[in-house]
Amino acid sequence: MRGSVLIIIISFLLTACKKEAQTGKKPVNSETETAAASAAEKQPDSTAERKIIQERFDFITELCDNKGYFDSNKYSRKEIEGTYRLWFNSGAFHISTPSVFKPDDLYKVRREKDLILEKLDADFLKKKTALEKLTVVSSPYWQNIKKAHLAELKEDYEKNRLQMIAYSDPSVLLNNSFTKNCQNFAKALSGSDEAIMSEWRKLREAMSKKNANPGRIMAEFEDHAQSSQWKDFAVADLITFGWGNCANQDVQRPSHDDRMNKEFEALFIKIDSECDEP
């Protein structure tokens, strides 16, 4: 009897605990669920097209004054300005050295070689830094064009530095990456007087065939060949017009072609131009 009573009491207590546990559960609020669903529906669609914010960029080309209208949601003004410099005014990143056409130029470069090289080094570093910091449109095409201009600047610097040294010491032209297709000039400049004269004549004959007045080119050669300074005239010609022009052809340069023009124009919604007659 006592056992039956104990079983009944335990069953009662278990039932009471179960009900209490059930009543302790947090009730579901259907209004909260509805509000959450409505909020989710109101979230903006990230794929939706953004509103175009149009800005104007004024720029010049050879014959035209242009007004280009671009979407500032796509490109910043700084990107447009930098890309324009890369497209139309990339010459600002080129480096220059003194020209040598005659013995007086040759002597001056020899006297001032150290100063010339110091200035060349400084100019290269300055323009390299400016080009590296130039902000351009982030598309692969324009980023590759920027890289190509940096490579061109480096090659121009190395070639021009070598050329300035060569006016004092032509032997530096014998072993370098720029001379691979210009061996005839490098060897002649480090050879005998006969070798220098022979290669100089060949160079002048080749130059005369490309000139509108070939007779003048050869008359200059014959006159200079009889001068007491003939070797200095020859060195100036063989380095400047011979090795220099030859090596310059191997410098890799970006192609400013029709595609580049189209890529630049594609940055704008529209371009209004006022042009002079060619």
Side-chain angles (χ1 to χ4, degrees):
M1 182 68 179
R2 285 182 180 177
S4 300
V5 172
L6 182 60
I7 291 171
I8 292 170
I9 292 172
I10 291 172
S11 299
F12 177 78
L13 291 173
L14 289 173
T15 303
C17 289
K18 186 175 180 181
K19 288 181 178 180
E20 186 176 340
Q22 287 176 344
T23 56
K25 289 183 180 179
K26 186 176 181 179
V28 175
N29 189 332
S30 59
E31 291 183 2
T32 302
E33 283 189 345
T34 303
S38 299
E41 289 177 1
K42 292 179 181 179
Q43 290 296 319
D45 184 358
S46 60
T47 61
E49 185 176 351
R50 291 180 299 176
K51 181 180 179 181
I52 293 175
I53 301 178
Q54 188 169 284
E55 289 189 30
R56 193 181 88 186
F57 174 67
D58 296 345
F59 62 98
I60 60 169
T61 49
E62 288 88 350
L63 298 172
C64 303
D65 292 326
N66 308 280
K67 293 178 175 61
Y69 299 86
F70 66 96
D71 182 1
S72 61
N73 269 330
K74 285 185 177 181
Y75 315 113
S76 69
R77 177 169 294 275
K78 193 173 184 179
E79 286 176 325
I80 294 292
E81 289 173 348
T83 305
Y84 169 68
R85 287 189 66 192
L86 205 60
W87 170 65
F88 188 72
N89 196 29
S90 60
F93 299 108
H94 292 171
I95 51 178
S96 61
T97 49
S99 299
V100 176
F101 300 128
K102 57 186 184 295
D104 286 348
D105 300 333
L106 184 66
Y107 307 149
K108 188 172 189 293
V109 165
R110 286 173 175 172
R111 287 194 310 269
E112 300 177 2
K113 182 185 72 172
D114 291 342
L115 289 175
I116 291 169
L117 294 178
E118 184 179 335
K119 182 179 183 301
L120 180 61
D121 293 346
D123 286 349
F124 167 68
L125 184 59
K126 180 180 178 181
K127 295 192 176 185
K128 176 176 176 286
T129 301
L131 187 51
E132 286 173 339
K133 290 183 176 180
L134 187 69
T135 301
V136 301
V137 169
S138 61
S139 71
Y141 177 82
W142 288 110
Q143 290 299 316
N144 286 335
I145 292 296
K146 180 178 175 178
K147 289 177 184 176
H149 276 293
L150 280 166
E152 175 193 23
L153 176 62
K154 182 175 181 290
E155 288 190 27
D156 264 339
Y157 162 70
E158 292 173 348
K159 180 256 178 186
N160 286 341
R161 199 175 200 286
L162 192 64
Q163 187 166 333
M164 290 299 104
I165 296 172
Y167 288 120
S168 298
D169 179 14
S171 68
V172 299
L173 301 180
L174 288 170
N175 296 300
N176 62 83
S177 61
F178 296 102
T179 301
K180 58 185 177 182
N181 297 317
C182 316
Q183 290 285 341
N184 54 317
F185 301 113
K187 289 178 179 178
L189 284 160
S190 292
S192 64
D193 287 357
E194 291 75 12
I196 292 175
M197 180 65 77
S198 175
E199 195 62 41
W200 184 24
R201 180 181 291 277
K202 290 178 187 176
L203 173 64
R204 278 281 168 163
E205 287 172 349
M207 290 169 61
S208 70
K209 292 175 182 178
K210 299 177 183 178
N211 194 278
N213 188 354
R216 179 183 63 81
I217 300 299
M218 292 311 297
E220 282 181 353
F221 166 74
E222 297 297 346
D223 182 50
H224 294 163
Q226 300 302 316
S227 168
S228 60
Q229 297 175 297
W230 75 267
K231 197 168 184 177
D232 293 329
F233 277 112
V235 168
D237 271 5
L238 288 171
I239 295 179
T240 300
F241 300 117
W243 184 89
N245 286 349
C246 174
N248 196 51
Q249 293 176 6
D250 287 332
V251 175
Q252 297 298 311
R253 305 187 187 282
S255 297
H256 285 257
D257 52 15
D258 190 50
R259 183 189 173 183
M260 187 179 286
N261 296 337
K262 289 179 179 177
E263 290 282 350
F264 182 73
E265 291 169 1
L267 301 177
F268 298 94
I269 300 165
K270 67 171 183 174
I271 299 175
D272 294 332
S273 303
E274 293 184 6
C275 303
D276 296 329
E277 291 295 328

